[in-house]
Each structure stands twice: as structure tokens, then as C-alpha cells.
């Protein structure tokens, strides 16, 4: 568990005031750094910017070790649970708990209710608490509720447990995006966000193998059915990671105590955030909330996030696997071939993250990705094309999620002036995507239309076109704000 270092904290508190006063005295610094002259950026193969001092480089490496390792592992564990219930259902849970109706759908619905309704509240609560305790504590409770599912004796118990699992896991993604924005400069955020995001793809690729191996070797061990072991494994993966977070994570630079960061390093982190106009946490009052809701940022960014969040339908609705099954491919071949899509997403995420940080090319990367996804969906909507081209289109659609990290990095940059606005906007962006993603596929990606999904592919084309329009709107407002800041 993170230890409070009294000597270091006293030094930090003594140094914090002049640092904050210095940032306030640089009222026009935002015009020079954030909205005006671009900071020096590294080459694509470099991890640090040319202007980073040796002290900054040591700090960045420490932050990567303390923060990125934990959030990657924790997100990977979350993905294991997201598929555990579906795997458990077909591995004996259906018969043991007599789930012969629509109970699986209801379980998923209850999970999504907790996931969606608690994202914004818990993210905002986190901004008022020490993050180094809040995130690992939420992970611990998430692990406990996940474990409790193995003892369920009826579906009613599962309903209650799935709600809490959804609530405690749902806010993790926006909370981490906000947390990364509290420590890293805008020329560093996209790569870290990409590393964090690809944990979900690694999880989806590995979960099937882990669960299949566990079921085959543990079914009946100690009198416990195989499907119950799946939840025990999720718990066993989560608890060590949560304790790792309690030991490693620093809070935010404005109120930081850490056994691994010295007073000088904390002061340097504060100065780095001040140079980015990344403001420390302030009281979250009703007038402040109304001010945020009256601004353009939340409405434009959330609208943009809606179109982005729905545009990955090709890869998220099993079109490739269902087509392969209809073509007579073996189960082994289907399982192998479908791992290409998340692999494409991983590569796209890394490439977009690096290029975004090096060239500050967020808008261009988003536009290119949308065009690639439009091309893929046009091919799939036509359908009667050469088999090789159809494979290429399915795999190409995996790039749709590759821009997730840079979209949230951009939101961190746009809302840099307010920690509270960053938290509200980022969590709202993610919530709106999950809210619509919970029911739109029921009408657009109908199982009876599989594997062609003509409505779904045309819907995705429309989403990407709308995303390009919203990209133009977002750039317009952002460029206008930067011009006003310079004047």
C-alpha cells in the first residue's frame, strides 16, 4: 500500500504554492504553448521530446512504470470478465441455474444498466478523492463481486451481482483517460492512451484460450463446476493487480504523495502540467456544472463520440465469424482467423498513437480512419466480391477502434483548463457510446441478417460520414478558441 512520506510531502507543500503562483502569473502562457507555438516533438522512434531534460525523462519513465503498467493489466482483467458470463452460460451455468428463457439477455441488460448509469457519477467522485486509492479500491470491490458470482445458486443473485460488477468496471475507462491527462503532456498522451486501450484487444484475444484451458483442466476440481471456476480465475487475476495499484499509483500532481516520486519530481510534474495549462482540481459546484453545460466542448465532443462509438460495428458484431461459419470453415480455423481483427486494431492503435504524438495529426488520423472504414463497409455492403477482397474489408474494419486513444487525448487537451470539465466530458463521451451501443445493434445488426448485415454496413457508412462532418465542426470550434486565446 502506498506510504505517506512526511518529509517529501512537507517539501512538496512548501514548493507547491510558488509553482501554482507561477502558473497563474503566466496568464498568457496558454497562448504560447497550448494554443500557439507548437512544442518540440520527438521523432516517431523516440520516446522523449528533444526538449525533455534528463530529469523529465526520468520522471516520464517512472510514471510509465507506476501508472501504465497498472492500468494496462487492470483493463485486461476487466475484459476477461466481460466474456466470462457468456462462456459460463454455454459451459454449464444454463443447466445448473435453469436459465431456459431470456435470462442471459436480462443478465447482460442488468450489467449494462450498472455500467452506464454509474460511469459519470463515479468518475466525478474520483476527482474528489485520492486517485491512488480510489482506482485500486474499486478494482478490489470489482474482484470481490466477480468472485461472488461463482457462489450464485439462482439467477436473482446473479442479477444483483452483475449490476455491481458493471458499475465498478464501467467507469474505469473514462477514469483512466482523465487520470492520464493529469500526468502527461499532450505530446505524450496518445501513445499512453493507445497502450492502455490495446489491453482490451489483448484481453479479447487471450480470454478464449484462458477460459477454454481453465474449463478443460478445472471442471469438477474440488467439487466446483467448470463455469464457476471462470469467475474464480477472474478474481485471482484481479486481486494481485489491485494490490499492485495500491502500492504503485501516485495520486494527481496537485496533491501527490508517493514513495517512488521525490519532492523535486512532483514539483516538476506540477510545472509540466502548468505549462500545458492543465489545471488542478477545484471545488465542483452547481454554477461550475452549469458553466460546463453551457459551453460548446461537452456538446460537440459528446456528439462526435456518439458517431465514433457506433462505427466499429463490423468488428463488434461477429460478421466475420458468422460468414466463415456459413462458408464451412472449421471451428479451429474460425477461432484463428478472427484473431486478425483485434491484431489489426492493436497495430492501428499504436500507429495512430505514435503519429498523433509526433505530428499532432489527430484530425488527419481520424479522417483517414473514417475513410478506410467507409471503403471496408462499401465492399461488404456490395458483398458479391472476390473472397480475398472480402477478407481484406473485414480485417480493414479493425482499424475503426484504432483512433480511440487520440480522441480521448484530444478531449484532455481541449478541456485542459478544468479538471472537472475533463472528467465530465470524458465520462459523458464514453457513457453516450455505451448507452446507444446497448440497443441500436438490436435494430441494425439483426441476427437474421447475418452474415451479410446489409443494414449494418450501410449504417456504419452513414456513421463515418457523420463523424467526418462532426470532425469539421470540432476543428472549427477548437481553431476558433485557439485564435481567441492568442488575441
Amino acid at each position: 500500500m502506498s506510504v505517506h512520506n512526511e518529509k517529501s510531502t512537507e517539501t512538496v507543500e512548501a514548493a507547491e504554492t510558488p509553482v501554482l503562483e507561477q502558473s497563474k502569473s503566466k496568464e498568457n502562457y496558454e497562448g504560447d504553448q497550448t494554443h500557439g507555438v507548437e512544442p518540440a516533438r520527438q521523432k516517431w522512434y523516440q520516446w522523449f521530446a528533444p526538449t525533455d531534460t534528463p530529469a523529465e525523462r526520468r520522471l516520464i519513465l517512472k510514471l510509465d512504470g507506476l501508472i501504465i503498467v497498472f492500468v494496462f493489466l487492470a483493463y485486461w482483467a476487466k475484459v476477461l470478465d466481460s466474456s466470462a458470463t457468456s462462456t459460463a452460460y454455454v459451459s454449464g451455468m444454463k443447466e445448473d441455474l435453469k436459465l431456459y428463457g431470456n435470462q442471459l439477455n436480462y443478465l447482460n441488460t442488468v450489467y449494462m444498466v450498472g455500467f452506464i448509469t454509474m460511469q459519470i457519477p463515479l468518475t466525478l467522485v474520483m476527482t474528489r478523492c485520492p486517485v491512488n486509492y480510489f482506482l485500486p479500491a474499486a478494482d478490489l470491490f470489482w474482484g470481490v463481486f466477480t468472485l461472488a458470482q461463482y457462489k450464485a445458486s439462482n439467477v436473482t443473485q446473479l442479477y444483483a451481482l452483475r449490476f455491481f460488477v458493471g458499475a465498478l468496471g464501467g467507469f474505469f475507462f473514462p477514469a483512466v483517460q482523465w487520470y492520464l491527462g493529469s500526468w502527461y503532456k499532450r505530446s505524450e498522451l496518445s501513445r499512453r492512451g493507445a497502450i492502455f486501450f490495446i489491453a482490451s484487444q489483448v484481453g479479447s484475444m487471450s480470454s478464449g484460450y484462458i477460459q477454454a484451458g481453465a474449463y478443460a483442466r478445472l471442471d469438477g476440481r474440488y467439487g466446483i463446476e467448470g463455469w464457476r471456476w471462470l469467475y474464480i480465475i477472474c478474481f485471482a487475476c484481479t486481486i494481485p493487480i489491485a494490490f499492485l495499484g495500491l502500492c504503485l499509483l501516485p495520486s494527481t500532481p496537485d496533491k501527490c504523495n508517493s514513495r517512488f516520486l521525490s519532492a523535486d519530481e512532483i514539483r516538476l510534474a506540477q510545472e509540466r502540467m502548468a505549462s500545458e495549462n492543465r489545471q488542478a482540481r477545484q471545488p465542483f459546484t452547481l454554477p461550475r456544472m452549469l458553466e460546463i453545460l453551457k459551453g460548446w466542448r461537452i456538446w460537440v465532443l459528446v456528439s462526435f463520440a456518439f458517431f465514433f462509438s457506433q462505427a466499429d460495428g463490423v468488428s463488434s458484431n461477429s460478421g466475420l465469424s458468422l460468414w466463415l461459419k456459413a462458408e464451412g470453415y472449421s471451428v479451429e480455423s474460425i477461432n484463428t482467423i478472427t484473431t486478425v481483427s483485434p491484431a489489426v486494431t492493436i497495430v492501428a492503435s499504436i500507429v495512430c498513437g505514435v503519429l498523433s504524438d509526433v505530428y499532432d495529426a489527430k484530425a488527419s488520423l481520424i479522417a483517414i480512419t473514417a475513410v478506410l472504414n467507409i471503403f471496408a463497409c462499401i465492399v461488404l455492403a456490395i458483398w458479391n466480391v472476390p473472397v480475398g477482397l472480402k477478407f481484406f474489408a473485414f480485417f480493414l474494419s479493425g482499424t475503426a477502434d484504432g483512433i480511440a486513444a487520440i480522441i480521448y487525448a484530444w478531449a484532455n487537451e481541449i478541456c485542459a483548463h478544468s479538471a472537472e470539465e475533463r472528467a465530465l466530458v470524458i465520462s459523458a463521451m464514453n457513457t453516450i457510446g455505451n448507452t446507444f451501443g446497448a440497443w441500436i445493434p438490436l435494430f441494425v445488426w439483426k441476427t437474421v441478417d447475418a452474415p451479410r448485415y446489409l443494414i449494418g454496413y450501410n449504417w456504419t457508412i452513414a456513421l463515418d460520414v457523420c463523424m467526418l462532418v462532426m470532425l469539421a465542426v470540432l476543428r472549427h470550434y477548437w481553431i476558433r478558441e485557439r485564435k481567441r486565446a492568442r488575441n
Side-chain angles (χ1 to χ4, degrees):
M1 188 172 293
S2 182
V3 175
H4 181 81
N5 188 317
E6 292 184 4
K7 183 176 179 181
S8 297
T9 306
E10 288 174 3
T11 308
V12 172
E13 288 173 350
E16 185 175 352
T17 301
V19 170
L20 295 178
E21 287 176 356
Q22 181 184 17
S23 68
K24 291 176 182 176
S25 67
K26 295 181 179 179
E27 205 167 299
N28 295 322
Y29 194 84
E30 180 184 356
D32 297 329
Q33 183 80 3
T34 304
H35 297 299
V37 179
E38 284 295 317
R41 292 176 180 268
Q42 65 276 18
K43 303 295 185 183
W44 67 268
Y45 53 85
Q46 295 175 323
W47 196 245
F48 305 105
T51 53
D52 287 340
T53 63
E56 280 189 281
R57 296 183 180 198
R58 286 193 296 271
L59 173 63
I60 292 168
L61 285 177
K62 275 192 176 183
L63 293 176
D64 291 341
L66 297 174
I67 297 174
I68 303 302
V69 171
F70 166 75
V71 299
F72 181 95
L73 293 174
Y75 200 29
W76 169 81
K78 297 285 187 296
V79 176
L80 288 183
D81 173 77
S82 66
S83 59
T85 297
S86 297
T87 304
Y89 182 80
V90 298
S91 303
M93 183 173 72
K94 175 182 177 180
E95 292 76 17
D96 287 351
L97 301 187
K98 298 180 174 55
L99 310 181
Y100 297 116
N102 292 319
Q103 286 90 344
L104 180 61
N105 291 334
Y106 298 151
L107 284 170
N108 292 332
T109 300
V110 169
Y111 173 85
M112 288 306 300
V113 168
F115 193 98
I116 291 168
T117 58
M118 299 307 294
Q119 272 191 2
I120 294 176
L122 287 178
T123 303
L124 294 179
V125 168
M126 189 191 70
T127 66
R128 312 264 61 86
C129 302
V131 181
N132 54 321
Y133 297 133
F134 192 89
L135 276 179
D139 234 28
L140 282 172
F141 283 112
W142 179 85
V144 170
F145 280 108
T146 298
L147 176 65
Q149 294 173 96
Y150 106 91
K151 292 292 290 182
S153 58
N154 58 66
V155 72
T156 304
Q157 295 172 359
L158 273 182
Y159 289 147
L161 293 170
R162 291 304 291 170
F163 174 85
F164 287 106
V165 169
L168 290 166
F171 85 102
F172 188 78
F173 181 83
V176 169
Q177 296 292 347
W178 177 87
Y179 183 44
L180 295 178
S182 299
W183 281 102
Y184 290 102
K185 299 172 75 170
R186 62 191 177 112
S187 59
E188 302 161 350
L189 261 177
S190 294
R191 278 171 299 167
R192 274 75 184 182
I195 293 171
F196 167 60
F197 176 75
I198 64 175
S200 63
Q201 307 303 312
V202 174
S204 66
M205 293 173 69
S206 62
S207 61
Y209 298 107
I210 293 173
Q211 291 166 356
Y215 183 83
R217 290 170 174 79
L218 295 175
D219 186 25
R221 182 73 61 89
Y222 304 115
I224 301 174
E225 295 92 339
W227 68 268
R228 297 183 188 272
W229 275 108
L230 298 179
Y231 293 114
I232 297 174
I233 290 170
C234 288
F235 169 81
C237 291
T238 299
I239 298 305
I241 296 170
F243 278 108
L244 180 70
L246 285 172
C247 294
L248 297 184
L249 286 186
S251 187
T252 50
D254 55 320
K255 295 179 180 179
C256 182
N257 57 76
S258 171
R259 69 171 72 177
F260 300 105
L261 297 177
S262 67
D264 288 339
E265 287 172 329
I266 295 172
R267 182 166 55 249
L268 177 59
Q270 293 169 347
E271 292 170 351
R272 280 163 47 86
M273 293 300 97
S275 73
E276 295 272 302
N277 197 40
R278 205 76 55 77
Q279 296 297 317
R281 292 177 284 184
Q282 303 293 331
F284 201 11
T285 60
L286 180 59
R288 182 72 188 111
M289 172 76 82
L290 294 176
E291 181 184 349
I292 293 171
L293 294 176
K294 290 177 182 178
W296 66 268
R297 299 177 193 87
I298 187 168
W299 302 111
V300 174
L301 284 167
V302 169
S303 298
F304 180 83
F306 163 74
F307 295 113
F308 159 72
S309 65
Q310 307 306 309
D312 68 343
V314 177
S315 57
S316 63
N317 285 282
S318 306
L320 174 58
S321 59
L322 292 173
W323 172 61
L324 292 173
K325 183 177 181 180
E327 292 295 310
Y329 284 79
S330 67
V331 173
E332 182 180 357
S333 296
I334 293 173
N335 289 336
T336 302
I337 293 171
T338 52
T339 59
V340 175
S341 291
V344 169
T345 302
I346 290 172
V347 173
S349 298
I350 294 172
V351 170
C352 286
V354 170
L355 294 180
S356 175
D357 281 349
V358 172
Y359 299 108
D360 194 21
K362 296 180 181 69
S364 299
L365 290 167
I366 292 170
I368 291 170
T369 300
V371 170
L372 291 177
N373 205 30
I374 288 172
F375 172 77
C377 289
I378 288 175
V379 170
L380 294 173
I382 295 172
W383 195 251
N384 295 318
V385 297
V387 172
L389 181 58
K390 190 176 294 185
F391 270 116
F392 177 74
F394 273 120
F395 296 152
L396 186 63
S397 67
T399 62
D401 279 333
I403 54 175
I406 64 177
I407 288 174
Y408 284 94
W410 203 0
N412 266 307
E413 178 183 344
I414 290 172
C415 303
H417 65 287
S418 169
E420 291 68 40
E421 184 172 36
R422 281 196 299 118
L424 180 58
V425 169
I426 289 173
S427 57
M429 288 169 65
N430 200 53
T431 297
I432 198 73
N434 285 298
T435 301
F436 283 93
W439 60 271
I440 283 182
L442 300 176
F443 301 95
V444 176
W445 300 94
K446 296 180 179 180
T447 306
V448 294
D449 295 335
R452 186 176 180 182
Y453 286 128
L454 181 61
I455 297 174
Y457 299 139
N458 283 290
W459 166 247
T460 305
I461 293 171
L463 288 170
D464 279 302
V465 171
C466 292
M467 189 167 72
L468 290 172
V469 173
M470 284 305 304
L471 177 62
V473 173
L474 177 57
R475 287 189 73 249
H476 166 74
Y477 278 102
W478 181 224
I479 292 172
R480 187 184 69 175
E481 182 164 307
R482 294 169 70 182
K483 288 180 178 178
R484 287 177 177 175
R486 286 196 295 264
N487 295 331

